[in-house]
Structure formats: structure tokens, C-alpha cells
Amino acid sequence: MNHTVALYDVTQVYVTERGASLAIENITFAVEAGEFVTLVGPSGCGKTTILSLIAGLLQPTVGKVEVNGSAVAKPSTKVGYMLQQDYLFPWRTIWQNVLVGLELNGGLTNEKRKYAEHLLGEMGLLETRDRLPAQLSGGMRQRVALVRTLVTEPDILLLDEPFSALDYQTKLQLEDLVAETLRAHRKTALLVTHDIAEAIAMSDRVIVLDRNPGRIRTELAVPEEIRAQTPFRSREQPGFHPLVEHIWRELEASEDRG
Ligand code: ADP
Ligand code: MG
């Protein structure tokens, strides 16, 4: 069986006017179908670079990136990408924003319109469909962005700090909503965050990265009793805080190394 996502010894060098810089080095990991994996690490450790490689927006300098067993050559509808900034078009209504991906890939059918309505309903956004993004809160806009990503029915979701611009309350609510939605739709997900608690609360497995250059420092499986809870409730599990501390220490040691 192929891995759903796999990186083999991937190194990425960025070349700029000021010279070449090593962003990530010898990164190897895999994500299996239906798994929720989170990458945590300090700013600049290469998290976004890794997602861009998987999304096919970048080609690795060295190494191999595969989705469903095939090398990633270009962006594909199999992989959905959701960013920290919602990037909704301000002049389009919520409904028009949700359909933009389908319009672009020529997949806008009546069936898809129904599915978009269904997702908007799941996210509690049906009443906002004729509004403009500026009339919505940050949390609502991120929910719209999630609907827009899900409506093209990707197998794999890449989530790049999707909650980091939100207030704490909204972030906790969205964590639950996103976890529940991805589970219900059986998606494979790769989340990027610098929030350790969020990483543990959301995922099956956490990969901790070092920086300069970005490398995998360690990897932890989240225990079943934490995974069985919603992200919000998982924070009450006795094993939760020791795990936060463990990752915290790893990240601190990583800083000392540089
Ligand atoms: P993170 O998402 O973990 O903050 P990034 O993947 O954005 O990290 O960046 C990793 C490293 O690569 C950083 O040192 C960053 O400055 C550098 N980098 C990222 N994108 C580019 C680019 N387009 N050109 C040059 N350097 C880049
Ligand atoms: Mg980033």
C-alpha cells in the first residue's frame, strides 16, 4: 500500500539575490489515509515550505515528494490548501467565494452547488451566503475558507496555521468544528501550527521540527485517550499537559542547539 503523502529525504534550497539558503534538510515522513498529522516548530523552520511541496507549488531541490504513490509535479484537486489568511475575494459574496475553486477547475455542476449548500449548513453559514466577507467575523471567514477548500472534495487537506489569527475562544470552537468535519468526511490532514496544545488536541501524531535548517527533531503519537476526545475536551485529559511539556522541552532544546 502506498502512503497518502510521503516525503523522502527532501531538501529545499531557496535561491535569492542574497544567495542560497537551506530551508529544510533531509525531511522524511509519511501520512497514511485518514490520519491527522501536525507539524510544529518555530517560525522559519520550514513548515510552509513542506506544505507547498506537497501542494505541488514547489519542486524539491533534492529528494522526492509523493501523493498516493506518485511524484507531485503540479497542484492537483486531490490536495486542498487552507491558509492562515482566508484570501476571500472582498467583492464577491460568500456564496460566490465558496464556488470560486469549482469555477476555476470547471467542476461547477448542480450537484456541486447542492454540496456547497450542505457544507455551508454544516458550518452554520447558510444565512451569510449573500453577504460580503467584510461583513463577517474572522472565525466565520475561516469557516468559509474551509467550505471553499472542502467543496472541491480533496482527499488531503493542508492547513497552514488556519487558526492563528483568531481570538482564543473562536480558535477553540473552530478546532472542534474542523476536527469533527474532517473526521466525518474521512479526510487525511496535515496541519501546521506553532501552538503545541493545538497540535496535540487536533492530531493523531505530532512531528516536531528544528530550524536552521528545518529538520525533524522528534515524532510523537498522541495516546488514544486524548485522540478519542474532541480537541476542546482533550485538554482535560490527565496525559495532555505532560505531553505539552514534553514538546515544549524539545523545542527549547532545539533553540539552544542554534
Ligand atoms: P515556517 O512556515 O516554518 O515559518 P517557511 O517554510 O516559511 O517556514 O520558511 C523556511 C525558511 O525558508 C525561512 O528561513 C524562510 O526565510 C525561507 N524562505 C521561505 N520562503 C522563501 C522564499 N520564497 N525565498 C527565499 N527564502 C524563503
Ligand atoms: Mg509558515
Side-chain angles (χ1 to χ4, degrees):
M1 261 281 286
N2 287 321
H3 301 297
T4 298
V5 174
L7 279 79
Y8 300 99
D9 261 321
V10 173
T11 292
Q12 190 67 33
V13 175
Y14 286 109
V15 180
T16 64
E17 296 144 359
R18 294 168 51 225
S21 73
L22 187 56
I24 55 171
E25 188 172 50
N26 293 332
I27 299 272
T28 297
F29 69 88
V31 183
E32 308 307 332
E35 215 185 359
F36 197 123
V37 174
T38 298
L39 303 173
V40 292
S43 169
C45 71
K47 303 183 294 296
T48 297
T49 299
I50 292 171
L51 294 193
S52 302
L53 287 162
I54 298 166
L57 300 170
L58 265 180
Q59 289 301 309
T61 313
V62 181
K64 239 178 13 174
V65 179
E66 291 184 354
V67 168
N68 294 327
S70 306
V72 178
K74 57 174 177 30
S76 134
T77 51
K78 293 247 168 285
V79 181
Y81 202 162
M82 181 175 159
L83 305 165
Q84 173 184 351
Q85 296 287 329
D86 54 53
Y87 293 110
L88 298 178
F89 297 108
W91 62 88
R92 292 189 135 219
T93 64
I94 297 311
W95 180 243
Q96 291 166 337
N97 265 290
V98 162
L99 298 183
V100 74
L102 293 170
E103 284 172 13
L104 289 176
N105 73 24
L108 186 55
T109 58
N110 274 335
E111 197 180 325
K112 283 293 190 176
R113 282 195 184 87
K114 285 214 183 80
Y115 184 52
E117 265 190 292
H118 169 77
L119 288 171
L120 278 177
E122 266 187 41
M123 297 284 159
L125 291 166
L126 270 182
E127 300 79 63
T128 69
R129 54 183 289 164
D130 297 321
R131 290 194 218 156
L132 294 171
Q135 297 172 287
L136 269 57
S137 68
M140 288 165 108
R141 282 202 301 273
Q142 278 306 69
R143 267 142 62 199
V144 175
L146 182 65
V147 171
R148 185 178 57 182
T149 309
L150 285 173
V151 79
T152 58
E153 297 189 83
D155 299 332
I156 302 158
L157 267 108
L158 307 176
L159 306 160
D160 197 351
E161 308 203 21
F163 313 120
S164 63
L166 305 172
D167 62 79
Y168 191 62
Q169 199 86 8
T170 306
K171 170 193 168 89
L172 292 182
Q173 284 166 352
L174 261 194
E175 281 179 12
D176 276 14
L177 186 63
V178 169
E180 191 186 310
T181 308
L182 296 192
R183 194 172 299 167
H185 294 267
R186 297 179 202 288
K187 300 295 181 192
T188 305
L190 191 58
L191 169 76
V192 155
T193 182
H194 51 248
D195 180 336
I196 302 170
E198 178 174 297
I200 300 166
M202 296 284 294
S203 38
D204 301 317
R205 194 145 58 85
V206 181
I207 296 174
V208 184
L209 298 167
D210 267 343
R211 91 174 138 192
N212 292 325
R215 290 202 189 105
I216 294 182
R217 180 173 183 87
T218 189
E219 197 183 302
L220 296 100
V222 177
E224 174 57 29
E225 60 274 17
I226 296 176
R227 282 193 289 134
Q229 306 290 329
T230 64
F232 185 81
R233 291 291 166 205
S234 70
R235 287 170 163 85
E236 297 164 355
Q237 290 296 307
F240 190 87
H241 287 286
L243 212 49
V244 171
E245 266 174 50
H246 181 118
I247 296 179
W248 176 265
R249 279 196 299 273
E250 289 288 343
L251 288 170
E252 261 192 340
S254 151
E255 292 293 302
D256 293 345
R257 187 185 63 98

